[in-house]
Amino acid sequence: MHTPAIDWRRRGPTLGLAFMLLIGAPAFAHSPQPTHGCAQPVRPPDKNDADVWNRFMDQVDVYRACMSAFIAGNNEAADRHRAAANAATVEWNTFVHGSLNVPEDFPWPPAKDSN
């Protein structure tokens, strides 16, 4: 059985495009969920002197500040994403109403067939 030879001059661009799409697909995926990287302090045993307890409370303050900054940054990012989504929605609605002559050209919901 003889398999015909592949003409790479004709297939090369098509295969190259397919390869680039496969490699580039992860770039469009969401990034991994961010992590805070804040160090949680370990509570010392109850029967310790004031210096040990004060060091622990200082570590608690650092941990709280780190977590607060992480939370605020992620809330700001969520607000930016929400604003971008809302702007895209407004842009789409403006296009639909300005370019498609809604509802005559683009009825919603679509009319049911009378068949």
Side-chain angles (χ1 to χ4, degrees):
M1 180 174 183
H2 175 32
T3 305
I6 296 174
D7 184 359
W8 291 106
R9 291 173 296 196
R10 289 187 326 166
R11 300 282 175 136
T14 303
L15 292 174
L17 178 60
F19 181 72
M20 286 189 309
L21 289 173
L22 288 173
I23 296 300
F28 295 110
H30 286 283
S31 302
Q33 182 174 342
T35 56
H36 56 76
C38 302
Q40 187 177 36
V42 176
R43 181 185 175 104
D46 287 339
K47 296 191 179 199
N48 264 312
D49 62 13
D51 290 337
V52 172
W53 184 255
N54 288 335
R55 278 194 303 275
F56 170 69
M57 292 308 295
D58 290 342
Q59 293 171 346
V60 168
D61 290 338
V62 170
Y63 181 56
R64 179 179 51 237
C66 180
M67 291 296 278
S68 294
F70 177 78
I71 292 165
N74 278 278
N75 284 333
E76 289 170 10
D79 291 343
R80 287 192 308 273
H81 284 273
R82 191 173 302 102
N86 289 339
T89 301
V90 168
E91 182 179 334
W92 169 251
N93 289 336
T94 301
F95 167 76
V96 168
H97 291 285
S99 299
L100 294 179
N101 197 21
V102 172
E104 292 81 15
D105 295 339
F106 196 71
W108 192 260
K112 295 186 185 232
D113 287 341
S114 59
N115 296 348

